[in-house]
Amino acid sequence: EIVLTQSPGTLSLSPGERATLSCRASQSVSSTYLAWYQQKPGQAPSLLIYASSTRATGIPDRFTGSGSGTDFTLTISRLEPEDFAVYYCQQYDSSPQTFGQGTKVEIK
Amino acid sequence: EVQLVESGGGLVQPGGSLRLSCAASGFIFSDHYMDWVRQAPGKGLEWVGRSGNKANSYTTDYAASVKGRFTISRDNSKNSLYLQMNSLKIEDTAVYYCATRETLGRPFPNWGQGTMVTVSS
């Protein structure tokens, strides 16, 4: 099973600042099969990025995914108030598909 | 518009059983993979299992933590997915989401709102 480790656990930032979230895999993941989700309190997760760097429908371009192999990054260029949430990475390269433990982006 | 609506959650004692349902609309149900993903209170996401699509003969697969206790089935005539949960443990307490994707090797663009399962004596 591929273990995904996200860091940091919590990111305290102000609106307008840049957020950089990391997702490290225990073994290589094809960049085709790495996704990022956003989850707000009381809501289901929502797909942000798939295939490592492709934005899902309707996702603004301030969200950028990058990386390859075992190291992947989600960057939010300028935080908007609605971006404060928990973010999860997911690999769907091998079974069982797995999720990282999440990074919470909170208002400083 | 894709819609997924889960139901059937509730309070159950350890060792008990519960059956969750997921009603789907807005897409060709038989052509899609359907998965269950759960989230324990205050915790992250855990994939539970999936049903393949028609091309895949609706093959099922499960996480090791639920294999032998949980069974996924689907009724394509009712556009519905089910999760039969037996021998429930306290650690099965979670919000259970159904999610859909076109095939393996794809993420989950669509999720239901979730249904809460609490296993407690």
Side-chain angles (χ1 to χ4, degrees), chain B residues 10-18 69 85-93 117-121:
Chain B
L11 175 64
V12 61
Q13 292 188 335
S17 298
L18 206 58
R69 299 188 299 122
M85 303 184 293
N86 298 331
S87 304
L88 281 161
K89 305 175 181 180
I90 290 175
E91 53 264 37
D92 294 319
T93 294
V117 173
T118 303
V119 184
S120 175
S121 54

Side-chain angles (χ1 to χ4, degrees), chain B residues 1-5 22-32 34 76 78-80 100 102 109-110:
Chain B
E1 179 195 1
V2 172
Q3 279 203 315
L4 301 169
V5 180
C22 172
S25 61
F27 61 99
I28 301 174
F29 185 71
S30 58
D31 285 350
H32 279 241
M34 298 295 299
N76 294 315
K78 295 181 178 179
N79 286 355
S80 292
T100 184
E102 291 180 341
N110 299 291

Side-chain angles (χ1 to χ4, degrees), chain A residues 32-33 35 37 39 42-47 49-51 88 90 92 95-102, chain B residues 35 37 39 43-47 50 61-63 97 101 104-114:
Chain A
T32 304
Y33 303 118
Y37 297 83
Q39 187 178 34
Q43 296 184 16
S46 175
L47 180 64
I49 300 281
Y50 62 96
Y88 294 95
Q90 176 209 23
Y92 44 102
S95 185
Q97 58 186 284
T98 50
F99 295 87
Q101 83 280 15
Chain B
D35 292 65
V37 177
Q39 186 170 35
K43 301 297 184 182
L45 302 166
E46 179 188 17
W47 176 76
R50 57 105 169 142
D61 191 18
Y62 301 92
Y97 297 101
R101 49 184 166 145
L104 282 177
R106 296 290 178 91
F108 298 130
N110 299 291
W111 299 66
Q113 85 290 348

Side-chain angles (χ1 to χ4, degrees), chain A residues 30-88:
Chain A
S30 168
S31 58
T32 304
Y33 303 118
L34 193 288
W36 291 91
Y37 297 83
Q38 177 192 70
Q39 187 178 34
K40 297 180 180 179
Q43 296 184 16
S46 175
L47 180 64
L48 286 176
I49 300 281
Y50 62 96
S52 182
S53 61
T54 302
R55 281 184 290 272
T57 302
I59 301 303
D61 60 8
R62 63 179 182 273
F63 290 92
T64 301
S66 62
S68 63
T70 60
D71 289 293
F72 297 88
T73 300
L74 174 67
T75 302
I76 310 171
S77 58
R78 292 179 318 279
L79 283 164
E80 297 287 341
E82 62 268 28
D83 299 337
F84 291 92
V86 180
Y87 293 84
Y88 294 95

